[in-house]
Amino acid sequence: QLGIPRRVILVDLGVDSSRSELGQLHVYINPVILWKSEEMEIGREGCFSTGNLHAIVPRAAHVRIAAYDRSGCKIFEEHHGFTARIFQH
C-alpha cells in the first residue's frame, strides 16, 4: 500500500477476540506463514481500508510463522486463535 517492498505488521500478542487485554505490541518484518493447521475457526473480520464492510471468514486455528524482528534477527513463532487470525488477515 505504500510502494515499499517490505511488509511490516504490528501485532498485539495480548489481544483476544473480546479485546479485553492489550499491551504486548510486537513488530514483524516480512512475515511468512510456514504452516497452517487443518483445524479451522470461523470469525467476523473487517479492515480499515474497507470501512464498515465486514464478513464471516474461515481461518486456520494455528499457524507457524517466520519473520524478522526490529533488530533484523530471524524469528520463528507459533500462534493460535485470534492471533493466528491476525497473521492470516
Side-chain angles (χ1 to χ4, degrees):
Q1 291 177 339
L2 300 173
I4 300 170
R6 289 181 187 81
R7 295 177 319 276
V8 178
I9 62 170
L10 302 172
V11 178
D12 190 334
L13 298 180
V15 72
D16 60 15
S17 60
S18 69
R19 289 152 177 87
S20 60
E21 294 189 32
L22 303 171
Q24 297 178 34
L25 195 62
H26 290 253
V27 176
Y28 295 89
I29 301 167
N30 291 338
V32 176
I33 296 174
L34 303 173
W35 172 84
K36 295 179 191 180
S37 68
E38 291 184 22
E39 178 188 356
M40 303 295 281
E41 294 181 347
I42 305 285
R44 183 173 177 257
E45 289 187 24
C47 185
F48 287 119
S49 64
T50 62
N52 275 339
L53 183 62
H54 294 88
I56 302 300
V57 180
R59 299 282 189 187
H62 303 272
V63 295
R64 286 189 197 118
I65 64 105
Y68 292 93
D69 65 14
R70 294 187 325 170
S71 300
C73 297
K74 186 96 176 211
I75 56 174
F76 298 90
E77 296 179 351
E78 187 165 333
H79 297 282
H80 64 278
F82 192 69
T83 305
R85 177 170 295 276
I86 292 168
F87 278 97
Q88 295 171 83
H89 182 80

